[in-house]
Amino acid sequence: HGAQGRRHTAQMNSQPISRKRERSVDDDRSQPKAAEATETKAAMHVNTPSNGDTPPEDAAPAAPQQDAPDDDAARRPTPPADESSSDDDGVGQLELLARRLEALRQAGELPPHMLDPPPRPPVLQPFTAEGVATYFADCARRPRDPSPVGGVPLHPPDDPLRDVVVMGGAGMSTAAGIPDFRSPGTGLYDNLQKYDLPHPQAIFELDYFRQRPEAFYALARELWPGTYAPTATHLFIRLLHEKGRLLRCFTQNIDSLESAAGIPPERCVAAHGNFDTATCIDTGAKVPPAELKAAIDAGAEGWQALRDKYGGLVKPDIIFFGEGLPKRFFDLANQDLPRCRMLIVIGTSLSVQPFAKLVSHVDDDCVRVLINRDAVGRRDPRIPVALARHLGTGSLEYANPATNERDVALLGSCDAQCRELAAAFGWTEDLDRLIAEYGAPTAPPLPA
């Protein structure tokens, strides 16, 4: 059972993954119809033989080769949804694919390799915070095997009790006052009109930054770390570290609130970059972030002087559209995912690749906990498990009781659900202490 899961992970590691950020700079910056078109086109290639190319050195787990855009395409902004993403009745291509697959299943014509495996006994019960806590405590009594999985050694060797991986998105930081990206009326993209952009995503495009840097610099001045306090969610992740259970926190956020919460840098991976470092986009020269901040605060005269000094515009090392994700993201994803026994996914729409695909590349026995305002990442039961993993369109089974073995959804505000999980772990006093220490925004008390 466990070995089966490890075989799955090792197999997925052999496939290349897109090394560039697709569709968006943050998990809440996506366009659903365009996403459906991309995913469906990838699905049409699911049986295409491999071209035999060796995966890149920094390849991460499991993704079809077809997902990787060519360099020119990767640098183009996401096109608006058009007729290519739907049929004449407005039905998305992913929905059409699901209907066709279901018709094949009903007719008994679904290829054998796409048939879902028979259900296994559940890894935990019940599928609640209490069930997660019981599983969490049980794992503490049986440290994981520290030996390499799939031939990938730990560098450096790590505590075998560190078996929890966190994937975080914009929802972790909204309680701090940092807007997410898609919420109507309050999301960042709905409030960028003051920058007179051609379209909202332009503010995170290199070409537009070269033409009109003052728009991004104005936004960077608003978002620069130090303005906001970490939330109860960040402090819950800090507790996972303090208790010796956090293996890694992969975050899509650029706000550096993980560092502000006291989570050591070696435990964090900023998949989409952050403000901790800065670089000249033309010369590659590294620039002290404090110097960049001072230049941005000084307005046009400041950033122009900085440009002249370093031979080009300087920006924080935030991943813009078409830029490659950090090598460290791929290295540690390959290293950590086969070893984690609990994956906690917090505050993300699971819509931006390659980050979203990580949920599919843990061991088959790994418990996956979604903490989010909305029910996301669900596998459409009409799409076979193997194909859902391949596409990254959603592989969580919490909405499918007949097939769910290990997935839990704790829906609501991230802070409230993290407090509930902390209470189930017996950490309420510890979390309250940190909230008071850091001045974190407080949520309403949990019901008695």
Side-chain angles (χ1 to χ4, degrees), residues 16 56 58 71 84 93 97 119 127 136 155 189 194 204 206 216 226 283 296 299 302 363 425 429 433:
D58 57 355
D71 287 344
S84 66
Q93 291 190 20
L97 175 64
F127 295 105
F136 184 78
H155 294 298
Y189 280 169
K194 59 186 175 183
F204 295 109
L206 279 176
F216 173 76
T283 67
I296 291 175
D363 187 284
F425 288 174
E429 290 185 5
R433 168 182 55 82

Side-chain angles (χ1 to χ4, degrees), residues 351-373:
S351 62
V352 175
Q353 307 297 350
F355 191 89
K357 284 191 175 75
L358 299 187
V359 300
S360 298
H361 307 311
V362 293
D363 187 284
D364 284 342
D365 292 333
C366 175
V367 166
R368 302 181 296 186
V369 182
L370 174 71
I371 296 176
N372 203 53
R373 181 189 61 191

Side-chain angles (χ1 to χ4, degrees), residues 219-228 255 275 278 289-290 292-293 296 316:
L219 179 64
R221 187 162 51 244
E222 293 182 28
L223 297 179
W224 202 280
T227 306
Y228 304 97
D255 54 36
F275 291 86
L292 173 59
K293 184 178 187 306
I296 291 175

Side-chain angles (χ1 to χ4, degrees), residues 8 48 69 126 163 173 180 207 220 239 256 275 279 337 357 364 375 420 429 433 442:
H8 159 70
T48 303
D163 56 359
S173 299
D180 64 10
D207 287 345
L239 275 181
S256 299
F275 291 86
T279 304
L337 293 176
K357 284 191 175 75
D364 284 342
E420 179 179 348
E429 290 185 5
R433 168 182 55 82
T442 55

Side-chain angles (χ1 to χ4, degrees), residues 150-183:
V152 183
L154 282 172
H155 294 298
D158 214 333
D159 183 346
L161 275 179
R162 290 193 176 273
D163 56 359
V164 177
V165 169
V166 173
M167 292 173 57
M172 294 202 305
S173 299
T174 52
I178 301 175
D180 64 10
F181 291 81
R182 287 189 304 178
S183 293

Side-chain angles (χ1 to χ4, degrees), residues 24-30 170 174 178-184 186-190 204 219 223 253-254:
S24 158
V25 176
D26 188 273
D27 59 303
D28 279 329
R29 303 166 196 161
S30 61
T174 52
I178 301 175
D180 64 10
F181 291 81
R182 287 189 304 178
S183 293
T186 61
L188 180 65
Y189 280 169
D190 269 7
F204 295 109
L219 179 64
L223 297 179
N253 296 339
I254 62 175

Side-chain angles (χ1 to χ4, degrees), residues 134-159:
T134 299
Y135 172 83
F136 184 78
D138 181 56
C139 287
R141 291 188 287 269
R142 47 181 183 88
R144 60 177 166 79
D145 183 357
S147 62
V149 177
V152 183
L154 282 172
H155 294 298
D158 214 333
D159 183 346

